[in-house]
Amino acid sequence: MNANPIEGGDIVLSVQGLKKNIGGKPIIRGVSFDVRAGEIFGFLGPNGSGKTTTIRMLVDLIKPTGGRVLVCGEDVSRSPEKALRHVGCIVENPEMYGYLTGWENLEHFARMQKGITRERILEVAEIVGLDKRIHDKVKTYSLGMRQRLGIAQALLGSPKLLILDEPTNGLDPLGIKELRAFIRRLADEGMSLFISSHLLSEIQLMCDRVAIISHGEVIAVGKVEELIAHADTYTLWLLDQPGKGRGMLAADPNVRLVGEHEHRIDDAVLAGMKEAIVTVMDEDRIPGMVAELVRAGVEVRAVQRVTPSLEELFLSLTEGEGIG
């Protein structure tokens, strides 16, 4: 549970009708969403969909053509210093000096901000789990350690909002798992996190809510489980007489048969049910259908419900647009 309730929580980041034209061409088209206190908010879209351009506008690296960005109520365009004092950000890969130690890197960045003490540098090193290696040269760090050092640098000013652009890029599975746990811990302590990614599985595991962006437009915003609920849940039938069973299923107006190339069920799910008939139907209808099949002499060997993934939803919303 988050220490700060997300439902009805304070809005830390408010993006209102954000637009960006480059060379007269619209790149970002009226993007809007809010991020609340203690929330992990995912920003999901394929490479080239406008994620990084949006993030650059959030932190005043480029100016929007239209719309507003508010951080803790402060307008980023009108009062960038007031607004961005609440923000820590890593856009793309964190840039660190390999010939310096982790500590020396943090000292260097601390000089750019007011009031960052030696104690705070040690605190952020401990927060990201680098306290035992903080005096080693960065060139000896693994990619995951460099990522954590970048996050430590972003945390120096005690931000209320941490923005991470593709934070799992290049990390191995263990590094991704550790980063996910670390991000959750920060949210549990009340920080808001904005995570940009094209990795559907990571967003699904990591985030409380998500905005899906495609071609510079946000096409869906909501809780992960609520968005997934809008995609079809499949019911798989493994029958001893598939031909007869298929005919009975097709005859029921409450059942929709799904062709082999119409669904996006993971191959691992289908491995043990290669001959399964795939349908879309209400869960309440399953017991009655089982009874009808058995009465007709069709043996029901297995029935399995397959919940759609965020990928299923993404592909349905973007009509198959690539995600990598």
Side-chain angles (χ1 to χ4, degrees):
M1 285 291 291
N2 287 359
N4 215 326
I6 293 171
E7 291 291 347
D10 293 338
I11 293 174
V12 174
L13 171 65
S14 182
V15 179
Q16 304 171 1
L18 200 61
K19 297 179 182 178
K20 182 62 180 177
N21 296 343
I22 297 177
K25 180 182 177 183
I27 304 299
I28 303 299
R29 310 160 185 260
V31 164
S32 298
F33 56 82
D34 294 328
V35 180
R36 303 175 186 128
E39 176 175 43
I40 304 174
F41 187 92
F43 197 45
L44 175 66
N47 293 329
S49 61
K51 300 189 302 298
T52 298
T53 301
T54 299
I55 289 174
R56 289 183 179 277
M57 288 190 283
L58 299 187
V59 295
D60 202 39
L61 290 176
I62 57 175
K63 297 292 184 184
T65 305
R68 296 203 303 166
V69 178
L70 304 177
V71 180
C72 298
E74 300 284 355
D75 191 307
V76 168
S77 291
R78 293 180 182 175
S79 308
E81 287 190 14
K82 286 184 179 179
L84 296 179
R85 71 185 178 189
H86 301 294
V87 179
C89 180
I90 301 177
V91 180
E92 298 171 330
N93 295 323
E95 295 295 332
M96 296 292 163
Y97 299 103
Y99 61 89
L100 298 178
T101 67
W103 182 274
E104 288 166 340
N105 270 277
L106 292 180
E107 277 188 323
H108 170 73
F109 289 110
R111 292 188 198 104
M112 301 178 188
Q113 303 179 55
K114 293 179 181 178
I116 306 298
T117 64
R118 179 183 177 86
E119 288 72 26
R120 178 58 181 168
I121 295 174
L122 180 59
E123 185 180 9
V124 297
E126 290 175 345
I127 287 171
V128 301
L130 283 179
D131 45 311
K132 291 182 174 62
R133 295 285 308 275
I134 199 65
H135 294 292
D136 294 348
K137 290 192 183 298
V138 169
K139 65 184 178 184
T140 69
Y141 285 10
S142 68
L143 185 60
M145 291 170 67
R146 289 182 186 226
Q147 190 73 284
R148 282 187 278 158
L149 184 63
I151 293 173
Q153 177 251 308
L155 294 176
L156 282 170
S158 303
K160 293 182 179 178
L161 172 68
L162 181 60
I163 297 174
L164 302 176
D165 187 16
E166 300 279 0
T168 60
N169 266 5
L171 296 184
D172 60 23
L174 179 59
I176 291 172
K177 185 177 180 182
E178 289 175 350
L179 179 68
R180 191 164 61 232
F182 170 67
I183 285 171
R184 174 52 63 188
R185 190 169 82 245
L186 290 177
D188 287 345
E189 292 168 0
M191 185 178 292
S192 302
L193 292 105
F194 179 91
I195 312 291
S196 162
S197 183
H198 68 281
L199 297 174
L200 297 149
S201 58
E202 285 311 310
I203 289 291
Q204 191 166 353
L205 288 170
M206 196 183 297
C207 298
D208 302 307
R209 289 193 307 133
V210 62
I212 298 176
I213 184 170
S214 176
H215 298 300
E217 294 182 82
V218 168
I219 54 177
V221 181
K223 291 182 179 179
V224 172
E225 62 269 22
E226 289 175 353
L227 291 177
I228 288 173
H230 289 293
D232 289 331
T233 296
Y234 298 113
T235 302
L236 277 56
W237 298 85
L238 196 59
L239 310 173
D240 73 329
Q241 300 179 62
K244 184 176 180 180
R246 180 181 291 274
M248 291 180 64
L249 289 163
D252 190 320
N254 299 307
V255 177
R256 176 165 66 87
L257 292 181
V258 181
E260 182 181 350
H261 301 293
E262 293 176 42
H263 64 73
R264 300 184 184 93
I265 301 172
D266 192 280
D267 289 342
V269 174
L270 289 173
M273 300 184 72
K274 290 183 179 178
E275 305 300 321
I277 300 166
V278 181
T279 65
V280 173
M281 60 190 299
D282 289 340
E283 191 171 9
D284 294 345
R285 182 74 188 91
I286 293 174
M289 194 72 239
V290 170
E292 288 179 32
L293 289 165
V294 171
R295 279 197 299 270
V298 178
E299 180 184 332
V300 180
R301 293 177 175 171
V303 181
Q304 182 174 337
R305 295 277 284 178
V306 178
T307 304
S309 65
L310 197 54
E311 180 171 19
E312 184 80 33
L313 173 69
F314 184 92
L315 290 170
S316 65
L317 287 171
T318 59
E319 297 180 352
E321 181 181 349
I323 56 168

